[in-house]
Amino acid sequence: MALGHRMQTLAWVGIASLCLGAAWAVPAGKERKKVEKPKPDLVLYENLDLDNYEVTLDNYGDIMDLNNYEELYDYGDLAPKIEVGTLAPRPKDRGALPELATAAPTPKLQPPDTTNPIRPAPPGPGTAQGLPSCLPCLCIRTSVYCDDTDLEHIPPLPPDTTYLYARFNRIGAIRAGDFMGLKKLKRIDLTSNSISWADVDAFRFLPSLQELILPENRLTALPELPRSIVRLDARLNRIPSAGLRPEAFQDLTQLQFLHLSDNQLDYIPAPLPESLRSLHLQNNNIQTMHEDTFCNSQDQSHIRRALEDIRLDGNPINLSLFPNAYFCLPRLPTGHFL
C-alpha cells in the first residue's frame, strides 16, 4: 500500500516537470528569434530629411541626379555585334540566286612603249618618220636635255621643241640653221660651252624665244635678238662694247633682265628699253656715263619705276660724278660713290 502511494507521487512529479519544461521552452525560442533578426542600418537615413521630402518640378533635378544615369548602366553588351565580311544568309529558294557570268580571261600585259618621249634613233638628219633624232640627248615632251654629253655642235631638234638645255659641252659655234623652223622654242640654255662665235641670224627668226642663256663661254660679239626676248644672260664672256650693235637693245620692248657682267664693256649700252627691270654690268671696264643714260634730261618728270636693280660695282667709275643721271630711278645704282 505504501509502495503504491510512493509510485503515484513520482508519476505526478514527472508530469509536473514536463509541464514546467514546456512552459519555459517557448519564451526561450522567442528570445532566440529576436537575437537572430537583423537590425536595420539607420546610418543610411541619418542625413535624410523626411520632413521636407516633397517632389515638385522645381526641386526634381536636385533630388534626382541624372548626370551619371548612363554610367550606371553599360549597354555595350546589348549592342548588336556586326562581323565585317560576314556573308548574307543563302535564300531558301535556289532559283532566286543570280547566275554568275563566266569570268573573262585575264589580258596579257604588253611591254611599255618607250618610243615616246625618248626616240632611240641614231644620230642623223632624221628618223624613218622624218623627225629629227634626240640622241644623244633626252627628249621629254617638248623639252630637250643635252647636258654634259660632249656635244661639239647643236644637234638636230624635233620641230616642237620648247626648251633646250645643252650645258657643259664643247659647242664652239652657233650656225644660222641650228634653230631654223623652231617656232615654239622659248628657252635656250648653253651655259659653260666653248662658244666663240654665233651667226648674226642664229636667233633672229625665233618668234617665241624669251630666254637666251649664254654665260661662261668665249663670245666676243652678240648676234641680233628677236623682239620677244625677255631675259638675256651673257655673263662671263669676252664681249667688248664694239661687239654690240648700235642701239642693240632699244627696240626690245619685252626685255626685262639684261645681264652682261664680267665682260669687257667700256660703256653702258644705252639707250635701254623702258621695260628693263634688272641691269647687271659689274666687273667690266666702264669709266663714264651720260646724263641721258637712264633718264631723259629734258623731261624732269620722267620716272623709270621698273628699273630697280642696277649693278655697276667692279667698274673704274665714280658714280658721284654724275648726280643728274639718277633722278628718274627708284634706287641708286650699286657701285663706287666717292
Side-chain angles (χ1 to χ4, degrees), residues 259-271:
H259 295 173
L260 297 173
S261 60
D262 295 280
N263 278 281
Q264 299 174 10
L265 299 177
D266 298 319
Y267 56 84
I268 298 173

Side-chain angles (χ1 to χ4, degrees), residues 73-96:
Y73 297 91
D74 184 7
Y75 295 99
D77 296 335
L78 300 180
K81 295 182 179 179
I82 301 176
E83 296 181 4
V84 179
T86 303
L87 297 176
R90 290 181 174 271
K92 295 181 180 180
D93 186 5
R94 294 278 183 177

Side-chain angles (χ1 to χ4, degrees), residues 234-309:
R235 296 172 293 118
L236 296 165
N237 278 274
R238 304 172 183 178
I239 304 172
S241 293
L244 302 179
R245 293 181 306 104
E247 302 180 350
F249 307 110
Q250 182 178 14
D251 295 332
L252 303 181
T253 57
Q254 303 297 320
L255 184 61
Q256 298 184 27
F257 304 92
L258 179 57
H259 295 173
L260 297 173
S261 60
D262 295 280
N263 278 281
Q264 299 174 10
L265 299 177
D266 298 319
Y267 56 84
I268 298 173
L272 299 169
E274 292 289 332
S275 59
L276 197 62
R277 297 173 54 188
S278 177
L279 177 64
H280 287 188
L281 299 174
Q282 66 268 33
N283 301 325
N284 279 280
N285 192 35
I286 299 174
Q287 302 180 24
T288 186
M289 72 171 66
H290 299 288
E291 291 186 353
D292 292 337
T293 298
F294 303 116
C295 308
N296 185 358
S297 60
Q298 303 299 322
D299 184 7
Q300 295 295 322
S301 63
H302 176 228
I303 299 177
R304 301 191 64 154
R305 300 186 184 277
L307 189 53
E308 295 185 345
D309 179 23

Side-chain angles (χ1 to χ4, degrees), residues 128-287:
Q129 294 81 11
L131 296 177
S133 166
C134 264
L135 289 179
C137 305
L138 174 64
C139 293
I140 301 179
R141 295 187 179 179
T142 60
S143 297
V144 180
Y145 299 90
C146 305
D147 293 340
D148 200 11
T149 54
D150 293 328
L151 291 178
E152 296 182 357
H153 56 79
I154 303 296
L157 301 171
D160 60 346
T161 300
T162 304
Y163 303 99
L164 171 63
Y165 301 91
R167 300 165 291 193
F168 315 110
N169 287 290
R170 295 183 294 172
I171 299 173
I174 303 175
R175 299 164 297 185
D178 284 343
F179 303 108
M180 184 176 294
L182 302 180
K183 297 182 178 180
K184 298 181 180 180
L185 191 57
K186 293 182 178 181
R187 178 187 298 166
I188 299 174
D189 191 344
L190 299 173
T191 301
S192 295
N193 277 274
S194 302
I195 303 172
S196 59
W197 173 81
D199 190 277
V200 66
D201 293 329
F203 309 107
R204 181 180 179 184
F205 301 107
L206 299 177
S208 301
L209 187 62
Q210 297 180 359
E211 296 182 78
L212 181 57
I213 306 173
L214 302 169
E216 300 180 36
N217 281 283
R218 302 174 184 175
L219 286 171
T220 57
L222 281 181
E224 190 171 349
L225 302 173
R227 295 193 177 186
S228 59
I229 198 74
V230 175
R231 176 188 176 192
L232 173 62
D233 187 351
R235 296 172 293 118
L236 296 165
N237 278 274
R238 304 172 183 178
I239 304 172
S241 293
L244 302 179
R245 293 181 306 104
E247 302 180 350
F249 307 110
Q250 182 178 14
D251 295 332
L252 303 181
T253 57
Q254 303 297 320
L255 184 61
Q256 298 184 27
F257 304 92
L258 179 57
H259 295 173
L260 297 173
S261 60
D262 295 280
N263 278 281
Q264 299 174 10
L265 299 177
D266 298 319
Y267 56 84
I268 298 173
L272 299 169
E274 292 289 332
S275 59
L276 197 62
R277 297 173 54 188
S278 177
L279 177 64
H280 287 188
L281 299 174
Q282 66 268 33
N283 301 325
N284 279 280
N285 192 35
I286 299 174
Q287 302 180 24

